[in-house]
């Protein structure tokens, strides 16, 4: 990939993530690495593609949530790395303002750990999401160390989730498993199938079509080979018949009845 292509790819990735507008005050640190950015975009793309026929959810990355009881945007706000709100209108927003969204908080939150935020994500934010947001599903993930933990709200307290045999954790709110694939966090269906990105889905469809084309070509060749075999057998029978007829004619010239032999 050329330097120009790399810059173009990075710009495309940045443009596809919803960030808070610059005029809003926030104490949330910026995304620390490109890997953090790619992780957010990957989850956004996969979930929006999986739910492309739905219009009753909102998903965002690194977007500020305002939740002040006094309806003020200069107090009580946080910007989760990735969150999902269910049963809401799907539209573009500059931020998530709880008092403008019928009091709705996220149903699912994921924080991507880093050296500067891990302590807050495991402590302050966990308590905030449990006690104030009352977010049913809370996960965190470190793309560098592979640390991956999930919680579900039970009787007002976060209970840690137990991993399945594939080391995946179940999100009750999303109806999906989350697990590490290729060093990044991915969604999996209840049946264990990887939720693809639009590009992966298109590639899979192309591969499926190519496989079907090859299968049809193989069947065509087998049918043609069977026809050739059948034609060869017909020709061999015809040659054998011709030889038998010539032999019978020769015997008759010698006054020998071939039927008596």
């Amino acid at each position: 990939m050329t330097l120009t292509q790399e810059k173009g790819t990075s710009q495309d990735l940045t443009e596809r993530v919803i960030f808070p507008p610059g005029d809003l005050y926030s104490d949330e640190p910026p995304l620390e690495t490109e890997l953090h950015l790619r992780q957010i975009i990957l989850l956004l793309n996969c979930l929006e593609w999986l739910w492309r026929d739905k219009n009753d959810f909102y998903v965002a990355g690194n977007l500020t949530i305002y939740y002040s009881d006094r309806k003020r945007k200069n107090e009580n706000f946080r910007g989760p790395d990735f969150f999902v709100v269910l049963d809401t209108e799907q539209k573009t927003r500059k931020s998530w303002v709880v008092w403008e969204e019928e009091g709705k908080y996220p149903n699912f939150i994921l924080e991507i750990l880093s050296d500067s935020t891990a302590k807050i994500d495991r402590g302050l934010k966990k308590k905030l999401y449990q006690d104030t947001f009352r977010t049913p599903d809370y996960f965190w993930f470190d793309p560098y160390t592979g640390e991956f933990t999930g919680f579900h709200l039970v009787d007002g307290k976060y209970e840690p989730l137990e991993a399945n045999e594939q080391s995946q954790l179940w999100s009750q709110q999303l109806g999906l498993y989350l697990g590490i694939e290729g060093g990044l966090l991915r969604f999996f269906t209840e049946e264990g199938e990887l939720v693809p990105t639009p590009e992966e889905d298109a590639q899979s469809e192309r591969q499926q079509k190519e496989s079907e084309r090859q299968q049809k070509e193989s069947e065509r060749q087998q049918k043609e080979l069977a026809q050739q075999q059948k034609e060869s057998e017909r020709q061999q029978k015809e040659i054998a018949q011709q030889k038998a007829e010539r032999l019978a004619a020769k015997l008759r010239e010698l006054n020998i009845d071939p039927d008596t032999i």
Side-chain angles (χ1 to χ4, degrees):
M1 179 181 290
T2 66
L3 181 59
T4 301
Q5 289 173 323
E6 289 178 352
K7 289 181 177 179
T9 301
S10 178
Q11 181 178 0
D12 292 342
L13 289 172
T14 303
E15 290 176 349
R16 294 169 68 184
V17 180
I18 305 172
F19 291 99
D23 60 343
L24 294 178
Y25 174 80
S26 175
D27 63 355
E28 290 300 317
L31 295 175
E32 293 195 355
T33 68
E34 182 181 346
L35 191 56
H36 285 70
L37 175 62
R38 288 184 178 278
Q39 176 65 86
I40 292 175
I41 292 172
L42 179 62
L43 294 175
L44 279 164
N45 285 345
C46 289
L47 193 61
E48 288 186 335
W49 181 245
L50 178 67
W51 289 352
R52 57 191 178 277
D53 296 328
K54 300 175 60 175
N55 58 8
D56 59 350
F57 72 97
Y58 180 70
V59 56
N62 206 42
L63 191 74
T64 302
I65 297 175
Y66 294 96
Y67 59 96
S68 168
D69 290 338
R70 297 191 294 178
K71 300 182 179 181
R72 295 180 178 179
K73 288 189 176 181
N74 62 351
E75 63 182 19
N76 296 341
F77 51 86
R78 279 292 172 183
D81 289 327
F82 179 86
F83 68 89
V84 181
V85 184
L86 303 177
D87 300 320
T88 190
E89 183 180 359
Q90 190 177 38
K91 64 180 182 179
T92 301
R93 294 169 171 87
K94 290 184 178 181
S95 60
W96 184 268
V97 184
V98 171
W99 59 87
E100 295 177 357
E101 302 287 352
E102 300 178 348
K104 287 182 176 292
Y105 285 87
N107 296 77
F108 173 97
I109 291 178
L110 167 73
E111 294 288 2
I112 303 174
L113 303 183
S114 65
D115 292 340
S116 64
T117 66
K119 185 177 180 180
I120 295 174
D121 293 335
R122 298 189 190 104
L124 177 63
K125 284 190 175 181
K126 180 185 175 187
K127 181 174 177 59
L128 174 69
Y129 299 154
Q130 171 187 273
D131 299 339
T132 303
F133 282 27
R134 312 291 289 174
T135 293
D137 288 348
Y138 176 46
F139 291 72
W140 66 60
F141 171 64
D142 189 325
Y144 288 97
T145 67
E147 179 183 344
F148 176 43
T149 304
F151 302 89
H152 182 69
L153 199 64
V154 179
D155 296 329
K157 298 295 181 182
Y158 275 141
E159 295 291 339
L161 297 170
E162 294 186 6
N164 63 10
E165 295 180 355
Q166 290 72 41
S167 300
Q168 300 166 349
L169 300 178
W170 176 252
S171 168
Q172 186 180 98
Q173 294 295 296
L174 302 184
L176 295 168
Y177 282 105
L178 286 90
I180 301 172
E181 179 80 11
L184 291 175
L185 204 61
R186 299 292 300 265
F187 293 119
F188 295 82
T189 66
E190 189 173 1
E191 294 73 30
E193 297 180 358
L194 178 69
V195 175
T197 64
E199 295 78 13
E200 289 171 340
D201 197 38
Q203 176 65 18
S204 177
E205 186 175 347
R206 286 194 296 268
Q207 291 176 344
Q208 179 64 26
K209 288 182 178 180
E210 177 61 19
S211 177
E212 291 175 355
R213 187 196 66 79
Q214 292 178 353
Q215 179 65 25
K216 288 181 180 179
E217 177 62 17
S218 175
E219 292 174 355
R220 186 195 65 79
Q221 292 177 351
Q222 291 177 2
K223 185 176 180 179
E224 183 176 301
L225 184 62
Q227 291 176 340
Q228 292 175 350
Q229 180 68 24
K230 186 175 181 180
E231 176 63 18
S232 176
E233 292 174 355
R234 187 193 65 77
Q235 291 177 352
Q236 290 176 1
K237 288 181 180 179
E238 186 174 307
I239 292 173
Q241 180 65 27
Q242 291 174 351
K243 286 183 177 180
E245 290 176 354
R246 287 197 298 268
L247 177 59
K250 188 65 176 177
L251 290 174
R252 290 190 185 94
E253 290 178 359
L254 298 175
N255 294 322
I256 300 174
D257 185 355
D259 295 331
T260 63
I261 299 177

